[in-house]
Amino acid sequence: MNKTNLLYAQSGGVTAVINATAAAVIAASRERSDAIGTVLAARHGILGALGEDLIDTSTLGAGDLEALSHLPGGAFGSCRFDLDPPERNPAQYDRLFAVFAAHGVGYFLYNGGNGSMDTVAKISAAARVRGYPLVCVGVPKTVDNDLEGTDCSPGFGSAAKYAAVAMLEAGLDIASMASSAGRVFVLEVMGRNAGWIAAASALAARTEDEPPHIILMPEVPFDEEAFLGAVDATVKRLGYCAVTVSEGIRRADGTLVMEQDHDRKGHVQLGGAGQCLARLIHARLGHKHHWAIPDYLQRAAGHLVSAVDHAQACAVGRAAVAAAIAGRDCVMPAIRRLADAPYRWDVVLQDVAAIANLERRVPAGFIRGDGLHVTDAAKRYLRPLIEGEVYPAYAGGVPDYRRPSFASVARRLAAYVP
Amino acid sequence: MNKTNLLYAQSGGVTAVINATAAAVIAASRERSDAIGTVLAARHGILGALGEDLIDTSTLGAGDLEALSHLPGGAFGSCRFDLDPPERNPAQYDRLFAVFAAHGVGYFLYNGGNGSMDTVAKISAAARVRGYPLVCVGVPKTVDNDLEGTDCSPGFGSAAKYAAVAMLEAGLDIASMASSAGRVFVLEVMGRNAGWIAAASALAARTEDEPPHIILMPEVPFDEEAFLGAVDATVKRLGYCAVTVSEGIRRADGTLVMEQDHDRKGHVQLGGAGQCLARLIHARLGHKHHWAIPDYLQRAAGHLVSAVDHAQACAVGRAAVAAAIAGRDCVMPAIRRLADAPYRWDVVLQDVAAIANLERRVPAGFIRGDGLHVTDAAKRYLRPLIEGEVYPAYAGGVPDYRRPSFASVARRLAAYVP
């Protein structure tokens, strides 16, 4: 009899370690060739599954998997696409299961964040309704660290390390340039609803006088006067002030602080809170201002990966394969913290239905009373996640990232017309 | 008799390796204790010299110097301050030489870019007019790579490496997210008048299809239609397009493309060209857009230093001390390229008066005919400058940067009233 194939796909914003998860899924599946046939991957997430745009990963050698494990971005392509509710668009699910059936897929692993877990729950439920024999497993990934049910999400540790290093280094620069006029630097990091990356920039500081002096998170309504007062006090004390801001901070009335910029469909494109704050400081306090917006750089920094994050990205990939083989449908391998220092963790399985569409924000106990910085408890939580360095190989002065060449699977179905 | 003291100071925008030069100056001076007494450093460049705000570096141990050599930013503080012309403000020079005399300074090493070389020339000339026995040496430093008389400037190689790595990694990210709607990413790098850092981002690509697809430099007047045409063609071919832009690009009429933002004194604050271009693309072509502005991060990235750059920063520091002892007044140690591959270089002395206030821009032979990318000649020039990695030590997940504690020199003069 044919063995059951496993389909892996990547979804949502990518990270520096999502391919480490992919490489671990492939390696772990090969170790269980008694249970798993071929590991297929869909191009651009669920879109590739619908479109029957599949890759056969069995052509990848051990060297390819090692290279894949250290390649930032999503090697198989990602997407931002939500399946329709099954009752509204059954044809979409018909197609999905037709593709699964045509390629002998009995395990589906979806590597993503909150939206992807919702997809996992939908597909799992649809399979049961149809009696299709599928084990559907969510594999956590998000720089935003906003997945519930896990102590942290693979991808976050490296973004957090990036934010801390960026603030540390920019802080040294601005401290050199401090002058009587006062200088202010604003680092805008990702985080629409959760301030985890901004919070992690606190790990740059060893003392209260070191940057960042102020951290603004979406969990705290932006209070312009309190903020400007804190900036001014810092500049008076030190000659400069460094601020980290999450892109998605809002005023008490719910409006975004950033400059709004709508795309053609009316979606708000974030990015601009840092510039707004820098200009506000300049206009109100007169200080010289600089701002940095690392954008994709913070989630793609394969040259600055956290060793803990990389290890966890691999671990959830391996655990997802084990869960699939064990028939644990609709679960997500999660990181469980056993101790802060020395840091110890393991992987447990969470019920996806219980955590999909929830959003884990920075808790009150991690936010300083004035709302302008984090607590020591936050630093105790964050520190281990950025520890350890995984350096890529370099060639010609840049990381020697190699994208494996992928073998496409021959299509067996008619083209998909959504 | 008292030996002659050496005064070292840092000026202008700092770099990831300016402190490597400082450490080399101190170490080389100690090796020549037959000729040099104490190495003093001025806080905040020439401002510290005028203000008699001096540091005695002889308290620094070997471990301090090693830490200093790997510390980004300007450890002694930098400034943006030009001396007045001597004929207009002789009192300023009276003060400067009074400070030099009070502290036995016979060697003055000024570590900076074009403006700092002008300061070196002014002080050198003033010393000769006054008969003050001073050897004044300029030490090159600028991420902008716009100093004449040297094949490259210490600080540039590391900023260039940063730009190449940033584009490489962000390019992998955006390629993962490519969709039918088309995606565009714009990386804005430093460079008001010279496109060297932008040009260096070309080192991210191994093939024409890899990012960056377009590089906009201030040397080429911005042609909106040609640019949009190239973006559109790239998106049609690849599904996405990555652009590097220098902050200071201008239209043919000389106006800046960036959003203008004036400070209280009317100085233009740059930063915004990337955002302008991203919005332009979105408005005209409808593609999704992201932009990144690393700002200080690109010149302070001690975690991503080019080994060649670090070696050259040390070499010019050592050569400056040797030049000073040899009585070579008003010179600057410069990098001379002997061969591209394998890269070989040495240090020669240049006459500061001949190069101060000149600006070295990206030459026509380095710019592709259509003005939207660089040539192979540019890559041959740039590649060796980013090669080799110097990793800092890490502690707690971030570089273990240690700022030495500095011993202030007791003031011997009355306070300075400018």
Side-chain angles (χ1 to χ4, degrees):
Chain A
M1 88 177 222
N2 284 333
K3 276 180 286 188
T4 306
N5 294 332
L6 182 148
L7 179 64
Y8 167 83
Q10 303 177 325
S11 176
V14 295
T15 79
V17 298
I18 186 171
N19 292 328
T21 299
V25 164
I26 297 167
S29 298
R30 290 182 182 181
E31 291 167 14
R32 290 301 307 275
S33 59
D34 58 307
I36 295 178
T38 302
V39 177
L40 305 172
R43 283 199 177 90
H44 292 295
I46 200 70
L47 290 173
L50 288 168
E52 204 192 359
D53 190 2
L54 307 180
I55 289 160
D56 179 350
T57 70
S58 54
T59 64
L60 301 177
D64 292 325
L65 292 189
E66 176 62 21
L68 182 62
S69 189
H70 296 283
L71 178 70
F76 301 100
S78 188
C79 70
R80 293 195 182 280
F81 182 84
D82 295 329
L83 289 177
D84 292 325
E87 64 280 8
R88 207 169 71 210
N89 191 356
Q92 197 178 46
Y93 292 81
D94 292 344
R95 167 68 182 191
L96 193 64
F97 287 102
V99 172
F100 286 177
H103 295 277
V105 173
Y107 304 117
F108 179 59
L109 269 53
Y110 209 33
N111 199 175
N114 280 317
S116 312
M117 295 308 145
D118 183 61
T119 300
V120 165
K122 280 178 179 155
I123 295 174
S124 167
R128 284 195 299 272
V129 167
R130 286 155 196 258
Y132 184 99
L134 184 76
V135 185
C136 199
V137 177
V139 196
K141 169 261 15 159
T142 170
V143 295
D144 292 332
N145 205 37
D146 60 352
L147 270 165
E148 273 292 351
T150 182
D151 183 66
C152 61
S153 296
F156 171 65
S158 296
K161 187 182 190 81
Y162 182 98
V165 173
M167 179 48 80
L168 173 59
E169 294 183 334
L172 287 166
D173 188 312
I174 189 167
S176 321
M177 305 299 289
S179 68
S180 54
R183 282 185 173 261
V184 175
F185 173 72
V186 182
L187 175 67
E188 178 188 314
V189 296
M190 288 179 163
R192 289 173 190 233
N193 299 310
W196 289 107
I197 298 177
S201 72
L203 300 177
R206 297 177 209 193
T207 69
E208 277 202 5
D209 281 351
E210 290 184 353
H213 306 106
I214 297 171
I215 299 175
L216 301 179
M217 295 164 276
E219 287 80 359
V220 182
F222 177 64
D223 177 337
E224 184 171 315
E225 297 309 318
F227 170 68
L228 289 170
V231 170
D232 205 37
T234 306
V235 170
K236 286 200 170 94
R237 195 169 85 247
L238 304 171
Y240 74 107
C241 179
V243 178
T244 308
V245 59
S246 299
E247 59 186 343
I249 60 164
R250 291 172 186 270
R251 299 182 191 86
D253 64 6
T255 57
L256 284 163
V257 169
M258 53 159 291
E259 294 182 314
Q260 299 223 349
D261 186 20
H262 297 266
D263 69 11
R264 284 185 171 181
K265 292 179 181 167
H267 297 131
V268 172
Q269 295 249 355
L270 292 186
Q275 186 172 353
C276 281
L277 290 185
R279 288 181 169 167
L280 173 69
I281 291 163
H282 181 66
R284 291 282 305 274
L285 303 175
H287 303 312
K288 283 172 176 272
H289 59 301
H290 265 251
W291 66 91
I293 307 178
D295 192 60
Y296 286 152
L297 277 51
Q298 72 200 279
R299 71 181 201 192
H303 75 280
L304 193 60
V305 160
S306 151
V308 165
D309 191 31
H310 190 269
Q312 293 180 338
C314 294
V316 296
R318 291 187 158 273
V321 171
I325 293 171
R328 297 293 303 274
D329 184 53
C330 206
V331 297
M332 177 188 86
I335 305 297
R336 181 172 61 174
R337 182 178 299 231
L338 303 172
D340 283 336
Y343 180 51
R344 291 189 305 113
W345 56 277
D346 62 7
V347 176
V348 295
L349 297 181
Q350 291 283 356
D351 178 9
V352 162
I355 58 174
N357 298 315
L358 295 178
E359 198 169 46
R360 181 160 160 267
R361 307 182 79 190
V362 178
F366 283 6
I367 301 172
R368 202 172 64 188
D370 65 0
L372 297 174
H373 217 288
V374 300
T375 62
D376 288 342
K379 292 186 207 172
R380 279 194 300 275
Y381 164 77
L382 292 163
R383 178 70 70 185
L385 307 183
I386 72 165
E387 289 197 305
E389 290 70 50
V390 179
Y391 298 117
Y394 278 72
V398 298
D400 187 21
Y401 296 132
R402 282 177 293 134
R403 298 183 76 168
S405 54
F406 294 133
S408 290
V409 176
R411 286 192 163 83
R412 295 171 185 174
L413 302 177
Y416 176 56
V417 183
Chain B
M1 87 178 223
N2 283 335
K3 275 181 285 188
T4 305
N5 294 333
L6 183 148
L7 179 63
Y8 167 84
Q10 302 177 324
S11 176
V14 294
T15 79
V17 297
I18 185 171
N19 292 329
T21 298
V25 163
I26 296 167
S29 298
R30 289 180 183 182
E31 291 168 14
R32 289 301 307 275
S33 60
D34 57 308
I36 296 177
T38 302
V39 176
L40 305 172
R43 283 198 177 90
H44 292 296
I46 200 70
L47 290 173
L50 289 168
E52 204 192 359
D53 190 1
L54 307 180
I55 289 160
D56 180 349
T57 70
S58 54
T59 63
L60 302 177
D64 291 325
L65 292 190
E66 176 62 19
L68 182 61
S69 189
H70 296 282
L71 177 71
F76 301 102
S78 189
C79 71
R80 293 194 183 279
F81 182 83
D82 295 328
L83 288 178
D84 292 325
E87 64 279 8
R88 205 168 73 210
N89 191 355
Q92 198 178 44
Y93 292 80
D94 292 344
R95 169 66 182 192
L96 193 63
F97 286 102
V99 172
F100 286 178
H103 295 278
V105 173
Y107 304 116
F108 179 60
L109 269 53
Y110 208 35
N111 200 174
N114 281 315
S116 310
M117 294 308 145
D118 183 61
T119 300
V120 166
K122 280 178 180 156
I123 294 175
S124 167
R128 283 195 300 273
V129 166
R130 286 156 197 259
Y132 184 99
L134 184 76
V135 185
C136 200
V137 177
V139 195
K141 170 260 15 162
T142 171
V143 294
D144 292 331
N145 205 37
D146 59 352
L147 269 166
E148 274 292 352
T150 183
D151 183 67
C152 62
S153 296
F156 170 65
S158 295
K161 188 182 189 82
Y162 182 98
V165 172
M167 179 49 79
L168 172 61
E169 295 181 335
L172 287 166
D173 188 312
I174 188 167
S176 322
M177 306 299 289
S179 69
S180 54
R183 282 186 174 262
V184 176
F185 172 72
V186 182
L187 174 67
E188 177 189 314
V189 297
M190 289 180 164
R192 291 176 188 230
N193 300 310
W196 290 108
I197 299 176
S201 73
L203 300 176
R206 296 178 211 192
T207 69
E208 276 201 5
D209 281 352
E210 289 184 355
H213 306 106
I214 297 171
I215 299 175
L216 301 178
M217 295 165 274
E219 287 80 359
V220 181
F222 177 65
D223 177 338
E224 185 171 314
E225 298 309 318
F227 169 68
L228 289 171
V231 169
D232 206 37
T234 306
V235 171
K236 286 199 169 94
R237 195 169 84 247
L238 304 170
Y240 73 108
C241 179
V243 178
T244 309
V245 59
S246 299
E247 60 187 340
I249 60 163
R250 291 171 186 271
R251 299 182 191 85
D253 65 5
T255 58
L256 283 163
V257 170
M258 52 158 293
E259 294 183 315
Q260 298 224 350
D261 186 21
H262 297 267
D263 70 11
R264 284 187 171 179
K265 291 180 181 167
H267 296 131
V268 172
Q269 296 247 355
L270 292 186
Q275 187 171 353
C276 282
L277 291 186
R279 288 180 169 168
L280 173 69
I281 292 163
H282 181 66
R284 291 283 304 275
L285 303 176
H287 303 313
K288 284 173 175 269
H289 60 300
H290 265 252
W291 66 91
I293 307 178
D295 193 59
Y296 286 152
L297 278 52
Q298 72 199 279
R299 70 181 201 192
H303 76 280
L304 193 59
V305 161
S306 151
V308 165
D309 191 30
H310 190 268
Q312 292 180 340
C314 294
V316 296
R318 291 187 158 272
V321 171
I325 293 172
R328 297 293 303 271
D329 183 54
C330 205
V331 297
M332 177 188 87
I335 306 297
R336 180 170 64 174
R337 181 179 299 230
L338 301 173
D340 283 336
Y343 181 51
R344 292 189 303 114
W345 56 277
D346 64 6
V347 176
V348 294
L349 298 180
Q350 291 282 357
D351 177 10
V352 162
I355 57 174
N357 297 315
L358 296 179
E359 198 169 46
R360 181 161 160 266
R361 309 182 79 190
V362 178
F366 283 7
I367 302 172
R368 202 172 65 188
D370 66 359
L372 297 174
H373 216 288
V374 300
T375 61
D376 288 342
K379 292 186 205 170
R380 279 195 300 276
Y381 165 78
L382 291 162
R383 179 70 69 186
L385 306 183
I386 72 165
E387 290 198 303
E389 291 69 51
V390 180
Y391 298 118
Y394 278 72
V398 297
D400 188 20
Y401 296 133
R402 282 178 292 135
R403 298 184 76 169
S405 55
F406 293 133
S408 292
V409 176
R411 287 192 164 81
R412 295 172 185 173
L413 303 176
Y416 177 55
V417 184

